[in-house]
């Protein structure tokens, strides 16, 4: 004899309880996703600086100092990457001032800005939230520049020319930066944005070595390098504007990458 199968029916209140649990789980998962998205505006290595903190300027300096070693690779963690600062590269610098100065530098590379022991140091910083402006002075204790050069210039009565490899060791370079920021409203949210950065460079000491001056004549090459090193500002003053322009573009790009998804209240929250 075939035994009749009995059909088990879930009580109505049991079904409702499961539906409620599923709804709660859905809400929790959705809320977690939203929180994760909102909190993802700043790189995980950066802490926000409360706008009403007793020392906002020092907080920002501490954040930048903490960020410095990661700027070498551009890896800020958790798949958050920005443009690397090591080395700083400029594809080409071309300067022409009549017949007395013609120079072309290619593959221009500046190394050492993020070095563990001799990398940049923020010496002074002032933030004004009312005018939405940050002014900073940064010291770069040691930098090395490498480049290909093609140069014709006059120093005193000496006509210097050559084409080859260039190396410059820079000591105590100072960079003054002015950053302004604003809000951009996207889908009802106020996002933090930087305007293009303006900056000025003040060189400290410099030591040049240009290989293959005067077609590699060793005596004339030594004389030419000595003349340049005794009058370094002659060459530095000519390349200064080009370096400032390229650094301003690079720093503006990096600053914008760091805060690209950040809300204003994430960068400067109320404590």
């Amino acid at each position: 004899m075939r035994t009749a199968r009995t059909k088990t029916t879930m009580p109505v209140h049991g079904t409702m309880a499961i539906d409620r649990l599923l709804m709660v789980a859905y809400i929790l998962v959705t809320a977690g996703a939203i929180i994760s998205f909102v909190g993802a505006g700043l790189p995980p290595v950066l802490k926000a600086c409360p706008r009403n903190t007793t020392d906002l300027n020092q907080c920002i300096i501490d954040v930048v100092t903490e960020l410095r070693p990661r700027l070498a690779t551009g890896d800020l963690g958790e798949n958050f990457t920005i443009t690397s600062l090591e080395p700083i590269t400029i594809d080409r610098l071309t300067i022409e001032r009549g017949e007395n100065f013609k120079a072309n530098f290619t593959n221009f590379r500046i190394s050492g800005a993020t070095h563990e022991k001799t990398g940049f140091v923020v010496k002074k910083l002032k933030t004004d939230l009312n005018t939405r402006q940050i002014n900073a002075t940064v010291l770069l204790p040691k930098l090395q520049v490498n480049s290909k050069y093609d140069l014709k210039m006059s120093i005193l009565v000496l006509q210097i020319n050559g084409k080859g490899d260039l190396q410059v060791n820079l000591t105590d370079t100072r960079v003054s930066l002015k950053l302004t920021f604003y809000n951009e409203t996207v889908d009802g949210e106020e996002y933090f944005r930087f305007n293009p950065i303006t900056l000025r460079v003040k060189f400290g000491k410099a030591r040049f070595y240009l290989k293959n001056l005067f077609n590699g004549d060793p005596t004339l090459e030594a004389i030419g390098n000595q003349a340049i090193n005794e009058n370094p500002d002659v060459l530095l003053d000519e390349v200064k504007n080009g370096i400032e322009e390229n650094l301003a573009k690079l720093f503006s790009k990096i600053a914008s990458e760091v805060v690209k998804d950040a809300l204003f209240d994430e960068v400067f929250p109320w404590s």
Side-chain angles (χ1 to χ4, degrees):
M1 179 179 295
R2 181 179 296 175
T3 303
R5 295 182 179 178
T6 58
K7 183 177 181 180
T8 303
T9 302
M10 178 71 70
V12 174
H13 66 274
T15 302
M16 293 176 64
I18 291 175
D19 288 343
R20 290 193 188 98
L21 287 173
L22 290 174
M23 181 59 71
V24 170
Y26 172 79
I27 291 171
L28 289 174
V29 170
T30 303
I34 293 173
I35 291 170
S36 297
F37 175 78
V38 172
L42 284 174
V45 297
L46 294 186
K47 70 172 184 177
C49 289
R51 65 185 76 178
N52 55 337
T53 185
T54 55
D55 199 343
L56 178 60
N57 295 326
Q58 187 58 48
C59 179
I60 296 174
I61 290 174
D62 292 342
V63 168
V64 174
T65 302
E66 183 73 18
L67 184 64
R68 186 183 67 189
R70 293 179 177 269
L71 293 175
T73 62
D75 184 0
L76 304 189
E78 297 185 15
N79 296 319
F80 198 118
T81 59
I82 61 173
T83 303
S84 168
L85 258 185
E86 200 65 51
I88 298 169
T89 59
I90 299 173
D91 291 336
R92 182 181 297 272
L93 279 176
T94 301
I95 308 103
E96 185 169 341
R97 304 280 187 266
E99 290 299 317
N100 290 327
F101 193 95
K102 294 181 179 180
N104 186 42
F105 302 95
T106 56
N107 196 22
F108 197 93
R109 305 181 311 283
I110 305 173
S111 305
T114 61
H115 191 276
E116 180 182 0
K117 295 182 179 180
T118 58
F120 73 81
V121 178
V122 181
K123 300 298 290 184
K124 185 168 60 175
L125 185 141
K126 183 178 181 181
T127 306
D128 190 329
L129 294 179
N130 292 322
T131 60
R132 305 210 164 188
Q133 183 171 303
I134 301 173
N135 290 287
T137 301
V138 176
L139 174 67
L140 296 133
K142 290 186 179 181
L143 296 173
Q144 181 172 298
V145 177
N146 294 92
S147 175
K148 295 290 185 180
Y149 81 92
D150 188 346
L151 175 68
K152 178 181 178 182
M153 65 181 293
S154 298
I155 295 182
L156 302 177
V157 297
L158 185 62
Q159 298 291 323
I160 296 176
N161 65 81
K163 183 177 181 180
D165 294 322
L166 162 74
Q167 180 175 313
V168 190
N169 293 318
L170 298 171
T171 305
D172 294 339
T173 303
R174 288 182 178 268
V175 179
S176 299
L177 304 101
K178 179 180 179 181
L179 303 88
T180 57
F181 51 90
Y182 63 97
N183 286 6
E184 181 182 21
T185 304
V186 180
D187 296 331
E189 299 281 8
E190 297 293 327
Y191 285 84
F192 187 95
R193 296 288 184 259
F194 278 113
N195 289 306
I197 293 173
T198 58
L199 63 80
R200 293 291 179 267
V201 174
K202 183 178 181 180
F203 294 109
K205 295 180 180 180
R207 187 71 183 174
F208 288 86
Y209 175 59
L210 287 78
K211 188 175 181 180
N212 204 46
L213 282 177
F214 302 103
N215 295 319
D217 181 287
T219 301
L220 293 178
E221 182 179 286
I223 292 172
N225 276 289
Q226 181 180 352
I228 292 172
N229 283 309
E230 288 177 352
N231 303 273
D233 290 343
V234 174
L235 188 49
L236 290 174
D237 287 348
E238 295 292 349
V239 300
K240 181 179 177 181
N241 287 343
I243 291 176
E244 289 176 340
E245 180 181 341
N246 281 273
L247 289 183
K249 291 178 181 178
L250 175 62
F251 293 169
S252 296
K253 180 181 180 182
I254 291 175
S256 295
E257 289 173 347
V258 170
V259 300
K260 62 180 180 179
D261 296 321
L263 300 176
F264 190 89
D265 286 341
E266 288 179 306
V267 179
F268 292 123
W270 293 101
S271 59

